[in-house]
Amino acid sequence: MGRFSSIAISALLLSPVLGQTESPAAVPVKKNPKRGLVSTPNEFFPRDDFIWSDPSSPLSWYWNFAPDVTEAYANFSQSEFEFVPSMWGAYTPNGTDTYFLGNLTEKFSKRKPSHVLTFNLPDQSFEYGGSEMTPEIAARTWVNNILPLREEHGIKVGFPTVSDPRGGWVDPFLKNCSKMNDGHGCEFDFVPLHSFGGFGTLKDNIGKWQSKFPEKPLWVTEYGFHDQNEAETQKFFNESLKYLEEHQAVARYSWFGAFRKTKSNVGEEMAMLDQRGNLTDIGNWYLDRAAALRTPEGVLAAACTLENPCGGSGAAGRASYVGVAGIVIGLFQLGVTFWM
């Protein structure tokens, strides 16, 4: 009896102190309509995917570079965890097919999306992660696949995710659209963009697209400060999260980092999971959770808010280490007494 009680108390007090980053019980929270997920499933660790759809997660939507849902979220309705399909690029060299349109519409009885993303970096080569589409082929592909989704099915469609509105791809695309669509062009509802670099780069990218299409909401579908140390990455994360939440033109955003540090191609510090699949500080903060105990300074315990963002070296967001230590010592003494 004494041995069982002592072990039970020890397990109770040690489990949250030794770095457990997930809440012991999933408490449903209000979803953040802006904040989403770039879903990058890990076939070797499929359980990682469920971290982002936990009831305690504030994430309201996700995309995955593909037209089909991420398997881990297949049973979620659109209202529970909204999936935004993506037509990454052309399925045929000349853009005359309607594969994407057919694939999507045949599933409407089970899941009809409200939004669709289109062409991923069509102005960039395959070598650099782009879909490498000429403005003419992109326009033809759009008219055959995207235009019917908007005009016949009422789905809101995103402009192609182009690296720079001033790079010579956007205007020729629009002109080709007008030529192929009886002068109506390729109408769209929102503008997605990617941004990798410092805080100034993020603001500049948003400003460029806002200037190009001032009436359209912006979606920052991939962003981060790649290949930086922990301090610089966390500083950027806190600044950018506050900025995106408060920016009226930004309708949605998704941090690129839903993977383990060992799988990151943008530097380890952008990853929201460590090597073992536990949430990093940035992972915790992105889910509106406090970070785990990491240094002798104290336990990161306060809620993350726009006024008091997580991270940094100050006292904000940190509970008193002395207070927590007192609780631990007290419980330990209680365990010893119970043992005696």
Side-chain angles (χ1 to χ4, degrees), residues 192-221:
L193 64 103
H194 297 172
S195 184
F196 289 94
F199 188 50
T201 299
L202 175 64
K203 291 194 295 183
D204 183 55
N205 286 334
I206 288 176
K208 286 187 295 188
W209 285 105
Q210 194 174 13
S211 296
K212 182 66 176 178
F213 300 116
E215 303 301 320
K216 302 294 184 181
L218 305 178
W219 288 26
V220 186
T221 52

Side-chain angles (χ1 to χ4, degrees), residues 156-187:
K156 294 182 178 180
V157 301
F159 192 77
T161 307
V162 182
S163 58
D164 193 325
R166 304 169 300 191
W169 192 94
V170 171
D171 290 336
F173 167 72
L174 293 173
K175 289 178 181 178
N176 274 279
C177 279
S178 182
K179 185 189 304 183
M180 296 178 189
N181 191 30
D182 298 325
H184 297 295
C186 293
E187 296 183 356

Side-chain angles (χ1 to χ4, degrees), residues 126-143:
F126 295 130
E127 181 183 0
Y128 295 102
S131 54
E132 198 172 319
M133 303 170 73
T134 66
E136 181 181 358
I137 290 176
R140 187 177 299 116
T141 304
W142 183 289
V143 169

Side-chain angles (χ1 to χ4, degrees), residues 21 23 69 92 110 146 160 179 189 199 215 236 254 329 337:
T21 59
S23 302
V69 299
T92 56
K110 183 177 181 180
I146 306 303
K179 185 189 304 183
D189 301 284
F199 188 50
E215 303 301 320
F236 170 82
S254 48
I329 293 171
T337 302

Side-chain angles (χ1 to χ4, degrees), residues 236-307:
F236 170 82
F237 176 85
N238 286 314
E239 289 178 334
S240 62
L241 195 71
K242 186 176 188 295
Y243 177 74
L244 294 173
E245 279 290 340
E246 294 179 345
H247 201 301
Q248 293 185 352
V250 176
R252 300 192 186 191
Y253 63 84
S254 48
W255 175 266
F256 186 68
F259 37 74
R260 298 190 181 199
K261 287 177 177 286
T262 50
K263 293 293 183 180
S264 177
N265 64 348
V266 286
E268 288 191 355
E269 300 307 330
M270 272 185 58
M272 293 194 285
L273 298 174
D274 66 17
Q275 294 87 338
R276 295 180 176 84
N278 297 312
L279 288 165
T280 62
D281 283 357
I282 285 179
N284 273 303
W285 298 336
Y286 198 65
L287 296 182
D288 286 338
R289 301 177 185 178
L293 175 64
R294 301 178 64 249
T295 70
E297 290 181 82
V299 178
L300 304 175
C304 312
T305 65
L306 293 180
E307 295 76 19

